[in-house]
Amino acid sequence: MFEDQTWDACVVVPGIMGSVLEDAATGCALWGVDLEMLTDPLTGRGLLGALHADELEGAADADTARRAPLTRIRAIKLLAKPWWLPVFQGLDPYSDTVKTLQRITLAPEAVAPFPNDWRLAVPYNGALLAARPART
């Protein structure tokens, strides 16, 4: 009866540049929205400078994530389309994956997208994932 389904929980961890990032203080999108956000039409200054890892972010590791997670930039959701590659318009790298996993798991809520700040080290993001409370 359940041969095409699984009891396993699934965590969807996007690849590099696969999460939408925003400035935590202002809510301003920094990555993953559209091409226009890359350059401010009034100043000509791009927003990519805000993505540059500061000293704390560059040194962040698993211990940092456990002690005091960084708060300047936050990952809010999985990327819906690779807007920085116009050739791939309409390609949605994660939505179909999440929907398929929800369909084949016995409990759709067992599928958990994990948007993460891909600018930071894997051990840092891994510690955040490990500390993430289980959904009930």
Side-chain angles (χ1 to χ4, degrees), residues 46-83:
L47 294 175
L48 290 180
L51 289 175
H52 180 75
D54 63 21
E55 191 173 318
L56 289 174
E57 293 166 336
D61 58 9
D63 289 333
T64 305
R66 287 188 282 271
R67 283 191 320 269
L70 303 171
T71 59
R72 185 176 73 91
I73 292 177
R74 67 176 161 234
I76 58 170
K77 62 184 178 179
L78 300 184
L79 190 68
K81 67 178 184 175
W83 55 271

Side-chain angles (χ1 to χ4, degrees), residues 14-120:
I16 190 164
M17 298 187 286
S19 296
V20 176
L21 303 179
E22 72 178 14
D23 182 300
T26 66
C28 178
L30 298 175
W31 181 262
V33 180
D34 57 44
L35 289 173
E36 287 78 36
M37 65 172 270
L38 294 178
T39 305
D40 181 336
L42 298 176
T43 66
R45 200 178 79 224
L47 294 175
L48 290 180
L51 289 175
H52 180 75
D54 63 21
E55 191 173 318
L56 289 174
E57 293 166 336
D61 58 9
D63 289 333
T64 305
R66 287 188 282 271
R67 283 191 320 269
L70 303 171
T71 59
R72 185 176 73 91
I73 292 177
R74 67 176 161 234
I76 58 170
K77 62 184 178 179
L78 300 184
L79 190 68
K81 67 178 184 175
W83 55 271
W84 70 94
L85 292 173
V87 197
F88 294 112
Q89 286 183 356
L91 174 70
D92 183 338
Y94 301 109
S95 294
D96 286 344
T97 300
V98 170
K99 287 176 191 170
T100 299
L101 289 170
Q102 288 173 330
R103 192 179 71 250
I104 65 169
T105 55
L106 291 174
E109 60 274 9
V111 177
F114 179 67
N116 62 82
D117 188 344
W118 43 264
R119 305 167 314 117
L120 305 179

Side-chain angles (χ1 to χ4, degrees), residues 3-19:
E3 67 185 54
D4 291 338
Q5 292 190 302
T6 181
W7 289 93
D8 295 332
C10 302
V11 177
V12 180
V13 180
I16 190 164
M17 298 187 286
S19 296

